[in-house]
Amino acid sequence: MRILKIILVILLLISNLSFADYQLERNKITKNLRCLICQGQSVYDSDSDFANSMKILVDKKLEEGLSENQIYDFFKEKYGEWILYDPGLNKNTYILWLLPILIFLLGGAIILKKLKFKN
C-alpha cells in the first residue's frame, strides 16, 4: 500500500511538471505575438476576442506537437513578420537589429572626440 502511495505521488508530480512546462511554453509564445487589435500589447497581455482566439490557436498548435518556431512560422505566414515582437535577423530586419549598434558606436565616437579636445 505504501509503495502505491509513493508511485501515485511521483505520477502526480510528473504530471504537474509537464503542465507547468506547457504553460511556460504557451506564455513565452503568446508574449512574443503582437495583438493586432490592441496596439502595443502582446497576445498574452490582451483580452480582446482576437487575442483570445490566438491563445486558443496556440494551444491547438502545441497539442499538435508543433515547436515554438513552427508556431511562429505559422503566424508569420498568416499575418506577416509584423506579428512577432522579436523578429529574426533577415533582409527585412537588418536596420532594426543594426541601428542600435550604429547609434551606440556613433555616440561613443562623439564622446571620445569631445574628450580628446578637452585635453
Side-chain angles (χ1 to χ4, degrees):
M1 187 69 170
R2 186 173 180 179
I3 294 175
L4 184 61
K5 287 181 183 179
I6 292 172
I7 292 172
L8 185 62
V9 167
I10 290 172
L11 289 174
L12 186 62
L13 288 173
I14 291 171
S15 67
N16 282 342
L17 288 176
S18 65
F19 180 73
D21 288 342
Y22 173 82
Q23 284 296 100
L24 287 173
E25 184 75 10
R26 178 184 185 261
N27 291 346
K28 181 180 177 187
I29 293 170
T30 55
K31 285 180 182 179
N32 192 31
L33 293 173
R34 186 183 313 266
C35 180
L36 300 179
I37 305 300
C38 310
Q39 296 296 319
Q41 277 190 319
S42 68
V43 168
Y44 177 82
D45 295 326
S46 176
D47 200 30
S48 69
D49 291 337
F50 176 77
N52 290 332
S53 65
M54 283 185 71
K55 290 174 191 174
I56 292 169
L57 192 54
V58 167
D59 287 337
K60 286 181 183 177
K61 296 297 179 185
L62 285 172
E63 288 171 6
E64 290 174 9
L66 270 64
S67 70
E68 180 181 354
N69 288 333
Q70 290 172 323
I71 294 172
Y72 290 149
D73 289 341
F74 170 79
F75 282 111
K76 280 193 290 187
E77 236 176 71
K78 197 166 187 162
Y79 299 105
E81 187 84 22
W82 190 80
I83 195 78
L84 297 179
Y85 269 117
D86 189 19
L89 182 62
N90 62 38
K91 67 179 183 172
N92 296 328
T93 60
Y94 283 140
I95 288 186
L96 177 68
W97 286 100
L98 296 177
L99 191 61
I101 295 169
L102 293 173
I103 291 172
F104 177 75
L105 292 174
L106 181 65
I110 291 170
I111 290 171
L112 282 175
K113 190 174 183 180
K114 295 280 184 185
L115 289 175
K116 284 184 180 180
F117 282 129
K118 278 190 173 183
N119 293 331

